[in-house]
Amino acid sequence: MRFLMMHRVDEHDPKSWNPSQEFIETMGGFIQESVEKGILITAEGVHPTEKGALVRKPRGAAIRVTDGPFAEAKEVIGGFALINAADRAEAVEFARRYAELFDQDIEVEVRQVVEFDELPTQD
C-alpha cells in the first residue's frame, strides 16, 4: 500500500525554512536508508507560502486564485513523502520516526493513497 505523508510546520518559525546543516545531514541519511529499504518512493520539502498560490473553486462559482503568503494560516505544509507500507500501522510508525528528526513543532498527516483497482467499477 502507498501512503502520503504531509508534514505541517509553523510558517513563522525560521527553522521551518532554514534547516541547519546537521538536520540536512540527518534527514539525508534517513531518506537514503528509507529508499534502500524500499519504503520511501519520494520526499520533498516545499517553499513557504509566499512563493505559492491557493486555487479555490466554490460549488457553482468561479475559480479564485490567491497568491501567498496565506495570512490566515499558521501551520502550513512544509513537505511531503510518498511511502510503501504493509498497512496503516507501519505507515504511522514511519511517520513517528520521521517526526522525531525535527527539533521543532511538527504535525504529520498520514493518508492512504487510493489505488486504481480500488475505484468502483461501472457495470
Side-chain angles (χ1 to χ4, degrees):
M1 290 182 239
R2 294 181 304 156
F3 289 84
L4 177 66
M5 296 179 1
M6 296 165 284
H7 75 266
R8 290 187 187 86
V9 294
D10 181 343
E11 170 115 80
H12 307 292
D13 183 349
K15 284 184 176 180
S16 298
W17 315 111
N18 300 303
S20 68
Q21 188 61 39
E22 180 182 354
F23 177 81
I24 292 169
E25 290 170 7
T26 300
M27 182 59 77
F30 179 78
I31 288 171
Q32 184 65 37
E33 173 190 328
S34 300
V35 167
E36 289 171 359
K37 288 182 176 180
I39 298 168
L40 183 63
I41 298 168
T42 189
E44 302 289 340
V46 296
H47 285 284
T49 62
E50 67 190 29
K51 292 187 175 187
L54 186 58
V55 179
R56 287 190 174 118
K57 184 196 175 292
R59 185 181 304 238
I63 293 174
R64 295 181 307 207
V65 178
T66 304
D67 291 332
F70 312 131
E72 69 278 3
K74 179 181 184 239
E75 290 184 342
V76 296
I77 295 173
F80 68 92
L82 185 62
I83 65 169
N84 289 307
D87 54 27
R88 181 181 167 276
E90 185 175 287
V92 168
E93 181 56 33
F94 184 86
R96 289 173 59 90
R97 289 184 52 226
Y98 177 78
E100 287 176 0
L101 299 174
F102 290 79
D103 183 25
Q104 67 191 80
D105 290 343
I106 181 172
E107 177 180 271
V108 181
E109 183 175 342
V110 178
R111 304 278 300 276
Q112 186 175 347
V113 174
V114 176
E115 302 295 350
F116 183 76
D117 62 356
E118 294 177 311
L119 295 173
T121 58
Q122 301 284 327
D123 292 331

mmCIF file of all heavy atoms in Angstrom, residues 2-10 17 27 40 42-46 75-83 91-92 94-96 98-99 102 105-113:
data_model
loop_
_atom_site.group_PDB
_atom_site.id
_atom_site.type_symbol
_atom_site.label_atom_id
_atom_site.label_comp_id
_atom_site.label_asym_id
_atom_site.label_seq_id
_atom_site.Cartn_x
_atom_site.Cartn_y
_atom_site.Cartn_z
ATOM 1 N N ARG A 2 0.364 2.258 -0.646
ATOM 2 C CA ARG A 2 1.083 3.527 -0.624
ATOM 3 C C ARG A 2 0.384 4.489 0.326
ATOM 4 O O ARG A 2 -0.838 4.491 0.433
ATOM 5 C CB ARG A 2 1.147 4.135 -2.021
ATOM 6 C CG ARG A 2 1.985 3.309 -2.983
ATOM 7 C CD ARG A 2 2.072 3.933 -4.346
ATOM 8 N NE ARG A 2 0.741 4.167 -4.892
ATOM 9 C CZ ARG A 2 0.453 5.077 -5.825
ATOM 10 N NH1 ARG A 2 1.403 5.844 -6.316
ATOM 11 N NH2 ARG A 2 -0.766 5.220 -6.275
ATOM 12 N N PHE A 3 1.197 5.302 0.997
ATOM 13 C CA PHE A 3 0.683 6.310 1.917
ATOM 14 C C PHE A 3 1.369 7.635 1.619
ATOM 15 O O PHE A 3 2.575 7.663 1.351
ATOM 16 C CB PHE A 3 0.949 5.917 3.369
ATOM 17 C CG PHE A 3 0.114 4.763 3.839
ATOM 18 C CD1 PHE A 3 0.500 3.458 3.596
ATOM 19 C CD2 PHE A 3 -1.073 4.992 4.521
ATOM 20 C CE1 PHE A 3 -0.273 2.387 4.024
ATOM 21 C CE2 PHE A 3 -1.853 3.929 4.954
ATOM 22 C CZ PHE A 3 -1.454 2.627 4.701
ATOM 23 N N LEU A 4 0.592 8.693 1.689
ATOM 24 C CA LEU A 4 1.119 10.046 1.543
ATOM 25 C C LEU A 4 1.248 10.641 2.932
ATOM 26 O O LEU A 4 0.311 10.577 3.730
ATOM 27 C CB LEU A 4 0.168 10.907 0.702
ATOM 28 C CG LEU A 4 0.577 12.368 0.537
ATOM 29 C CD1 LEU A 4 1.868 12.473 -0.271
ATOM 30 C CD2 LEU A 4 -0.550 13.146 -0.138
ATOM 31 N N MET A 5 2.403 11.165 3.229
ATOM 32 C CA MET A 5 2.645 11.867 4.488
ATOM 33 C C MET A 5 2.886 13.333 4.146
ATOM 34 O O MET A 5 3.699 13.642 3.283
ATOM 35 C CB MET A 5 3.891 11.323 5.194
ATOM 36 C CG MET A 5 3.778 9.905 5.626
ATOM 37 S SD MET A 5 5.269 9.250 6.455
ATOM 38 C CE MET A 5 6.420 10.571 6.507
ATOM 39 N N MET A 6 2.154 14.215 4.803
ATOM 40 C CA MET A 6 2.362 15.648 4.631
ATOM 41 C C MET A 6 2.713 16.209 5.992
ATOM 42 O O MET A 6 1.978 15.971 6.958
ATOM 43 C CB MET A 6 1.096 16.320 4.107
ATOM 44 C CG MET A 6 0.705 15.851 2.718
ATOM 45 S SD MET A 6 -0.989 16.309 2.316
ATOM 46 C CE MET A 6 -1.891 15.098 3.290
ATOM 47 N N HIS A 7 3.833 16.898 6.065
ATOM 48 C CA HIS A 7 4.156 17.464 7.371
ATOM 49 C C HIS A 7 3.878 18.965 7.371
ATOM 50 O O HIS A 7 4.118 19.660 6.399
ATOM 51 C CB HIS A 7 5.580 17.116 7.827
ATOM 52 C CG HIS A 7 6.679 17.860 7.167
ATOM 53 N ND1 HIS A 7 7.344 17.390 6.070
ATOM 54 C CD2 HIS A 7 7.266 19.037 7.474
ATOM 55 C CE1 HIS A 7 8.285 18.242 5.713
ATOM 56 N NE2 HIS A 7 8.258 19.261 6.554
ATOM 57 N N ARG A 8 3.292 19.381 8.505
ATOM 58 C CA ARG A 8 2.949 20.783 8.688
ATOM 59 C C ARG A 8 3.893 21.395 9.709
ATOM 60 O O ARG A 8 4.221 20.761 10.710
ATOM 61 C CB ARG A 8 1.508 20.917 9.187
ATOM 62 C CG ARG A 8 0.496 20.561 8.142
ATOM 63 C CD ARG A 8 -0.918 20.867 8.637
ATOM 64 N NE ARG A 8 -1.900 20.380 7.713
ATOM 65 C CZ ARG A 8 -2.381 19.141 7.714
ATOM 66 N NH1 ARG A 8 -1.976 18.275 8.613
ATOM 67 N NH2 ARG A 8 -3.258 18.765 6.830
ATOM 68 N N VAL A 9 4.290 22.619 9.416
ATOM 69 C CA VAL A 9 5.192 23.358 10.294
ATOM 70 C C VAL A 9 4.623 24.752 10.525
ATOM 71 O O VAL A 9 3.719 25.196 9.815
ATOM 72 C CB VAL A 9 6.607 23.462 9.675
ATOM 73 C CG1 VAL A 9 7.267 22.096 9.574
ATOM 74 C CG2 VAL A 9 6.557 24.124 8.306
ATOM 75 N N ASP A 10 5.164 25.428 11.510
ATOM 76 C CA ASP A 10 4.777 26.807 11.792
ATOM 77 C C ASP A 10 5.394 27.695 10.719
ATOM 78 O O ASP A 10 6.619 27.781 10.596
ATOM 79 C CB ASP A 10 5.276 27.207 13.188
ATOM 80 C CG ASP A 10 4.898 28.627 13.588
ATOM 81 O OD1 ASP A 10 4.541 29.443 12.712
ATOM 82 O OD2 ASP A 10 4.969 28.921 14.786
ATOM 83 N N TRP A 17 12.088 26.885 7.388
ATOM 84 C CA TRP A 17 12.550 27.194 6.031
ATOM 85 C C TRP A 17 14.067 27.314 5.926
ATOM 86 O O TRP A 17 14.593 27.466 4.824
ATOM 87 C CB TRP A 17 11.873 28.477 5.553
ATOM 88 C CG TRP A 17 10.410 28.446 5.867
ATOM 89 C CD1 TRP A 17 9.755 29.215 6.784
ATOM 90 C CD2 TRP A 17 9.427 27.557 5.328
ATOM 91 N NE1 TRP A 17 8.426 28.862 6.825
ATOM 92 C CE2 TRP A 17 8.196 27.853 5.949
ATOM 93 C CE3 TRP A 17 9.470 26.535 4.384
ATOM 94 C CZ2 TRP A 17 7.013 27.178 5.651
ATOM 95 C CZ3 TRP A 17 8.290 25.855 4.082
ATOM 96 C CH2 TRP A 17 7.086 26.179 4.712
ATOM 97 N N MET A 27 18.496 14.145 7.999
ATOM 98 C CA MET A 27 17.366 13.833 7.129
ATOM 99 C C MET A 27 17.854 13.098 5.881
ATOM 100 O O MET A 27 17.224 12.144 5.421
ATOM 101 C CB MET A 27 16.607 15.103 6.741
ATOM 102 C CG MET A 27 15.396 14.861 5.866
ATOM 103 S SD MET A 27 14.124 13.785 6.593
ATOM 104 C CE MET A 27 13.346 14.920 7.723
ATOM 105 N N LEU A 40 10.576 4.351 1.027
ATOM 106 C CA LEU A 40 10.364 5.701 0.505
ATOM 107 C C LEU A 40 10.351 5.708 -1.018
ATOM 108 O O LEU A 40 11.281 5.223 -1.654
ATOM 109 C CB LEU A 40 11.459 6.639 1.028
ATOM 110 C CG LEU A 40 11.343 8.099 0.637
ATOM 111 C CD1 LEU A 40 10.075 8.716 1.213
ATOM 112 C CD2 LEU A 40 12.560 8.864 1.104
ATOM 113 N N THR A 42 9.276 8.835 -2.734
ATOM 114 C CA THR A 42 9.780 10.187 -2.975
ATOM 115 C C THR A 42 9.484 11.052 -1.754
ATOM 116 O O THR A 42 8.551 10.761 -1.005
ATOM 117 C CB THR A 42 9.162 10.824 -4.249
ATOM 118 O OG1 THR A 42 9.845 12.046 -4.550
ATOM 119 C CG2 THR A 42 7.677 11.084 -4.088
ATOM 120 N N ALA A 43 10.269 12.075 -1.568
ATOM 121 C CA ALA A 43 10.052 13.031 -0.477
ATOM 122 C C ALA A 43 10.654 14.368 -0.895
ATOM 123 O O ALA A 43 11.732 14.399 -1.486
ATOM 124 C CB ALA A 43 10.703 12.546 0.817
ATOM 125 N N GLU A 44 9.941 15.422 -0.574
ATOM 126 C CA GLU A 44 10.407 16.767 -0.925
ATOM 127 C C GLU A 44 9.939 17.758 0.121
ATOM 128 O O GLU A 44 8.859 17.612 0.692
ATOM 129 C CB GLU A 44 9.837 17.209 -2.280
ATOM 130 C CG GLU A 44 10.172 16.311 -3.445
ATOM 131 C CD GLU A 44 11.624 16.361 -3.871
ATOM 132 O OE1 GLU A 44 12.327 17.329 -3.544
ATOM 133 O OE2 GLU A 44 12.048 15.420 -4.553
ATOM 134 N N GLY A 45 10.721 18.786 0.334
ATOM 135 C CA GLY A 45 10.281 19.939 1.099
ATOM 136 C C GLY A 45 9.681 20.931 0.119
ATOM 137 O O GLY A 45 9.911 20.835 -1.089
ATOM 138 N N VAL A 46 8.915 21.878 0.625
ATOM 139 C CA VAL A 46 8.339 22.907 -0.240
ATOM 140 C C VAL A 46 8.716 24.288 0.305
ATOM 141 O O VAL A 46 9.091 24.426 1.469
ATOM 142 C CB VAL A 46 6.804 22.767 -0.355
ATOM 143 C CG1 VAL A 46 6.441 21.462 -1.034
ATOM 144 C CG2 VAL A 46 6.117 22.877 0.990
ATOM 145 N N GLU A 75 -0.054 27.052 10.597
ATOM 146 C CA GLU A 75 0.625 25.813 10.223
ATOM 147 C C GLU A 75 0.368 25.555 8.746
ATOM 148 O O GLU A 75 -0.770 25.615 8.276
ATOM 149 C CB GLU A 75 0.104 24.647 11.056
ATOM 150 C CG GLU A 75 0.527 24.724 12.498
ATOM 151 C CD GLU A 75 0.092 23.516 13.295
ATOM 152 O OE1 GLU A 75 -0.805 22.787 12.848
ATOM 153 O OE2 GLU A 75 0.657 23.305 14.370
ATOM 154 N N VAL A 76 1.437 25.284 8.023
ATOM 155 C CA VAL A 76 1.341 25.058 6.585
ATOM 156 C C VAL A 76 2.135 23.807 6.223
ATOM 157 O O VAL A 76 2.977 23.340 6.988
ATOM 158 C CB VAL A 76 1.876 26.269 5.790
ATOM 159 C CG1 VAL A 76 1.033 27.504 6.037
ATOM 160 C CG2 VAL A 76 3.331 26.531 6.102
ATOM 161 N N ILE A 77 1.875 23.280 5.054
ATOM 162 C CA ILE A 77 2.614 22.108 4.589
ATOM 163 C C ILE A 77 4.054 22.524 4.329
ATOM 164 O O ILE A 77 4.322 23.469 3.602
ATOM 165 C CB ILE A 77 1.966 21.505 3.334
ATOM 166 C CG1 ILE A 77 0.579 20.960 3.687
ATOM 167 C CG2 ILE A 77 2.845 20.405 2.748
ATOM 168 C CD1 ILE A 77 -0.231 20.489 2.512
ATOM 169 N N GLY A 78 4.979 21.807 4.960
ATOM 170 C CA GLY A 78 6.404 22.070 4.797
ATOM 171 C C GLY A 78 7.061 21.070 3.866
ATOM 172 O O GLY A 78 8.171 21.268 3.398
ATOM 173 N N GLY A 79 6.369 19.955 3.605
ATOM 174 C CA GLY A 79 6.909 18.944 2.724
ATOM 175 C C GLY A 79 6.022 17.715 2.719
ATOM 176 O O GLY A 79 5.006 17.659 3.415
ATOM 177 N N PHE A 80 6.422 16.749 1.907
ATOM 178 C CA PHE A 80 5.630 15.536 1.787
ATOM 179 C C PHE A 80 6.534 14.351 1.499
ATOM 180 O O PHE A 80 7.688 14.513 1.081
ATOM 181 C CB PHE A 80 4.593 15.669 0.661
ATOM 182 C CG PHE A 80 5.223 15.720 -0.706
ATOM 183 C CD1 PHE A 80 5.422 14.562 -1.442
ATOM 184 C CD2 PHE A 80 5.652 16.918 -1.234
ATOM 185 C CE1 PHE A 80 6.020 14.608 -2.701
ATOM 186 C CE2 PHE A 80 6.258 16.983 -2.486
ATOM 187 C CZ PHE A 80 6.441 15.821 -3.215
ATOM 188 N N ALA A 81 6.001 13.168 1.730
ATOM 189 C CA ALA A 81 6.694 11.932 1.372
ATOM 190 C C ALA A 81 5.652 10.935 0.906
ATOM 191 O O ALA A 81 4.540 10.892 1.431
ATOM 192 C CB ALA A 81 7.460 11.366 2.564
ATOM 193 N N LEU A 82 5.997 10.152 -0.065
ATOM 194 C CA LEU A 82 5.158 9.056 -0.536
ATOM 195 C C LEU A 82 5.910 7.778 -0.203
ATOM 196 O O LEU A 82 7.075 7.628 -0.588
ATOM 197 C CB LEU A 82 4.922 9.176 -2.040
ATOM 198 C CG LEU A 82 3.964 8.168 -2.664
ATOM 199 C CD1 LEU A 82 2.557 8.316 -2.078
ATOM 200 C CD2 LEU A 82 3.924 8.348 -4.174
ATOM 201 N N ILE A 83 5.252 6.881 0.551
ATOM 202 C CA ILE A 83 5.930 5.681 1.026
ATOM 203 C C ILE A 83 5.149 4.419 0.685
ATOM 204 O O ILE A 83 3.945 4.470 0.418
ATOM 205 C CB ILE A 83 6.170 5.720 2.553
ATOM 206 C CG1 ILE A 83 4.847 5.701 3.327
ATOM 207 C CG2 ILE A 83 7.013 6.929 2.933
ATOM 208 C CD1 ILE A 83 5.001 5.468 4.823
ATOM 209 N N ALA A 91 2.793 2.582 8.375
ATOM 210 C CA ALA A 91 2.942 3.947 7.865
ATOM 211 C C ALA A 91 3.016 4.953 9.024
ATOM 212 O O ALA A 91 3.822 5.882 8.996
ATOM 213 C CB ALA A 91 1.774 4.297 6.939
ATOM 214 N N VAL A 92 2.194 4.752 10.044
ATOM 215 C CA VAL A 92 2.215 5.644 11.210
ATOM 216 C C VAL A 92 3.545 5.525 11.940
ATOM 217 O O VAL A 92 4.118 6.529 12.385
ATOM 218 C CB VAL A 92 1.020 5.343 12.149
ATOM 219 C CG1 VAL A 92 1.182 6.038 13.483
ATOM 220 C CG2 VAL A 92 -0.285 5.751 11.478
ATOM 221 N N PHE A 94 6.418 4.798 10.605
ATOM 222 C CA PHE A 94 7.384 5.519 9.778
ATOM 223 C C PHE A 94 7.246 7.025 10.017
ATOM 224 O O PHE A 94 8.239 7.740 10.157
ATOM 225 C CB PHE A 94 7.181 5.191 8.294
ATOM 226 C CG PHE A 94 8.195 5.828 7.399
ATOM 227 C CD1 PHE A 94 9.412 5.215 7.161
ATOM 228 C CD2 PHE A 94 7.944 7.055 6.796
ATOM 229 C CE1 PHE A 94 10.363 5.811 6.332
ATOM 230 C CE2 PHE A 94 8.882 7.656 5.977
ATOM 231 C CZ PHE A 94 10.092 7.029 5.748
ATOM 232 N N ALA A 95 6.009 7.516 10.088
ATOM 233 C CA ALA A 95 5.762 8.945 10.333
ATOM 234 C C ALA A 95 6.303 9.365 11.699
ATOM 235 O O ALA A 95 6.826 10.470 11.850
ATOM 236 C CB ALA A 95 4.269 9.251 10.227
ATOM 237 N N ARG A 96 6.196 8.478 12.696
ATOM 238 C CA ARG A 96 6.744 8.775 14.028
ATOM 239 C C ARG A 96 8.259 8.929 13.961
ATOM 240 O O ARG A 96 8.822 9.868 14.526
ATOM 241 C CB ARG A 96 6.373 7.673 15.013
ATOM 242 C CG ARG A 96 4.910 7.645 15.397
ATOM 243 C CD ARG A 96 4.570 6.422 16.244
ATOM 244 N NE ARG A 96 5.354 6.370 17.463
ATOM 245 C CZ ARG A 96 4.992 6.920 18.623
ATOM 246 N NH1 ARG A 96 3.835 7.540 18.713
ATOM 247 N NH2 ARG A 96 5.761 6.834 19.677
ATOM 248 N N TYR A 98 10.015 9.709 11.362
ATOM 249 C CA TYR A 98 10.251 10.915 10.572
ATOM 250 C C TYR A 98 10.103 12.164 11.442
ATOM 251 O O TYR A 98 10.963 13.040 11.446
ATOM 252 C CB TYR A 98 9.256 10.908 9.407
ATOM 253 C CG TYR A 98 9.284 12.113 8.515
ATOM 254 C CD1 TYR A 98 10.265 12.265 7.549
ATOM 255 C CD2 TYR A 98 8.296 13.098 8.606
ATOM 256 C CE1 TYR A 98 10.274 13.359 6.707
ATOM 257 C CE2 TYR A 98 8.299 14.189 7.772
ATOM 258 C CZ TYR A 98 9.291 14.310 6.830
ATOM 259 O OH TYR A 98 9.304 15.402 6.001
ATOM 260 N N ALA A 99 9.020 12.236 12.216
ATOM 261 C CA ALA A 99 8.755 13.399 13.063
ATOM 262 C C ALA A 99 9.836 13.579 14.124
ATOM 263 O O ALA A 99 10.168 14.705 14.496
ATOM 264 C CB ALA A 99 7.380 13.281 13.720
ATOM 265 N N PHE A 102 12.845 16.077 13.663
ATOM 266 C CA PHE A 102 12.673 17.530 13.743
ATOM 267 C C PHE A 102 12.876 18.030 15.167
ATOM 268 O O PHE A 102 12.436 17.404 16.118
ATOM 269 C CB PHE A 102 11.272 17.925 13.257
ATOM 270 C CG PHE A 102 11.078 17.756 11.782
ATOM 271 C CD1 PHE A 102 10.822 16.506 11.241
ATOM 272 C CD2 PHE A 102 11.146 18.843 10.934
ATOM 273 C CE1 PHE A 102 10.642 16.342 9.881
ATOM 274 C CE2 PHE A 102 10.970 18.696 9.568
ATOM 275 C CZ PHE A 102 10.715 17.433 9.043
ATOM 276 N N ASP A 105 8.125 22.095 16.536
ATOM 277 C CA ASP A 105 6.771 21.564 16.451
ATOM 278 C C ASP A 105 6.499 21.108 15.028
ATOM 279 O O ASP A 105 6.819 21.818 14.068
ATOM 280 C CB ASP A 105 5.740 22.640 16.829
ATOM 281 C CG ASP A 105 5.765 22.985 18.306
ATOM 282 O OD1 ASP A 105 6.332 22.202 19.089
ATOM 283 O OD2 ASP A 105 5.219 24.037 18.667
ATOM 284 N N ILE A 106 5.931 19.920 14.901
ATOM 285 C CA ILE A 106 5.614 19.376 13.580
ATOM 286 C C ILE A 106 4.397 18.482 13.712
ATOM 287 O O ILE A 106 4.178 17.853 14.747
ATOM 288 C CB ILE A 106 6.808 18.601 12.977
ATOM 289 C CG1 ILE A 106 6.468 18.071 11.594
ATOM 290 C CG2 ILE A 106 7.256 17.496 13.887
ATOM 291 C CD1 ILE A 106 7.637 17.472 10.856
ATOM 292 N N GLU A 107 3.616 18.445 12.687
ATOM 293 C CA GLU A 107 2.454 17.560 12.610
ATOM 294 C C GLU A 107 2.574 16.808 11.296
ATOM 295 O O GLU A 107 2.835 17.417 10.256
ATOM 296 C CB GLU A 107 1.178 18.402 12.637
ATOM 297 C CG GLU A 107 -0.093 17.613 12.487
ATOM 298 C CD GLU A 107 -1.300 18.529 12.525
ATOM 299 O OE1 GLU A 107 -1.806 18.771 13.627
ATOM 300 O OE2 GLU A 107 -1.717 18.997 11.447
ATOM 301 N N VAL A 108 2.410 15.491 11.333
ATOM 302 C CA VAL A 108 2.500 14.683 10.122
ATOM 303 C C VAL A 108 1.156 13.996 9.898
ATOM 304 O O VAL A 108 0.698 13.226 10.736
ATOM 305 C CB VAL A 108 3.615 13.615 10.222
ATOM 306 C CG1 VAL A 108 3.695 12.805 8.933
ATOM 307 C CG2 VAL A 108 4.962 14.263 10.537
ATOM 308 N N GLU A 109 0.533 14.309 8.780
ATOM 309 C CA GLU A 109 -0.728 13.657 8.403
ATOM 310 C C GLU A 109 -0.387 12.463 7.512
ATOM 311 O O GLU A 109 0.398 12.595 6.568
ATOM 312 C CB GLU A 109 -1.627 14.639 7.660
ATOM 313 C CG GLU A 109 -2.965 14.062 7.293
ATOM 314 C CD GLU A 109 -3.910 15.084 6.666
ATOM 315 O OE1 GLU A 109 -3.670 16.299 6.825
ATOM 316 O OE2 GLU A 109 -4.874 14.651 6.017
ATOM 317 N N VAL A 110 -0.976 11.322 7.804
ATOM 318 C CA VAL A 110 -0.729 10.087 7.052
ATOM 319 C C VAL A 110 -2.033 9.690 6.380
ATOM 320 O O VAL A 110 -3.041 9.494 7.050
ATOM 321 C CB VAL A 110 -0.247 8.950 7.986
ATOM 322 C CG1 VAL A 110 -0.038 7.667 7.210
ATOM 323 C CG2 VAL A 110 1.020 9.362 8.724
ATOM 324 N N ARG A 111 -2.012 9.554 5.046
ATOM 325 C CA ARG A 111 -3.222 9.209 4.297
ATOM 326 C C ARG A 111 -2.908 8.117 3.290
ATOM 327 O O ARG A 111 -1.938 8.225 2.541
ATOM 328 C CB ARG A 111 -3.737 10.439 3.547
ATOM 329 C CG ARG A 111 -4.013 11.670 4.398
ATOM 330 C CD ARG A 111 -5.345 11.627 5.076
ATOM 331 N NE ARG A 111 -6.447 11.532 4.152
ATOM 332 C CZ ARG A 111 -7.009 12.573 3.535
ATOM 333 N NH1 ARG A 111 -6.559 13.800 3.736
ATOM 334 N NH2 ARG A 111 -8.013 12.385 2.716
ATOM 335 N N GLN A 112 -3.733 7.083 3.275
ATOM 336 C CA GLN A 112 -3.542 6.009 2.295
ATOM 337 C C GLN A 112 -3.946 6.513 0.916
ATOM 338 O O GLN A 112 -4.957 7.205 0.761
ATOM 339 C CB GLN A 112 -4.379 4.782 2.660
ATOM 340 C CG GLN A 112 -4.094 3.601 1.762
ATOM 341 C CD GLN A 112 -4.838 2.343 2.182
ATOM 342 O OE1 GLN A 112 -5.378 2.262 3.274
ATOM 343 N NE2 GLN A 112 -4.840 1.354 1.312
ATOM 344 N N VAL A 113 -3.161 6.160 -0.077
ATOM 345 C CA VAL A 113 -3.425 6.545 -1.456
ATOM 346 C C VAL A 113 -4.468 5.588 -2.038
ATOM 347 O O VAL A 113 -4.375 4.373 -1.849
ATOM 348 C CB VAL A 113 -2.119 6.490 -2.296
ATOM 349 C CG1 VAL A 113 -2.391 6.735 -3.766
ATOM 350 C CG2 VAL A 113 -1.107 7.493 -1.749
#
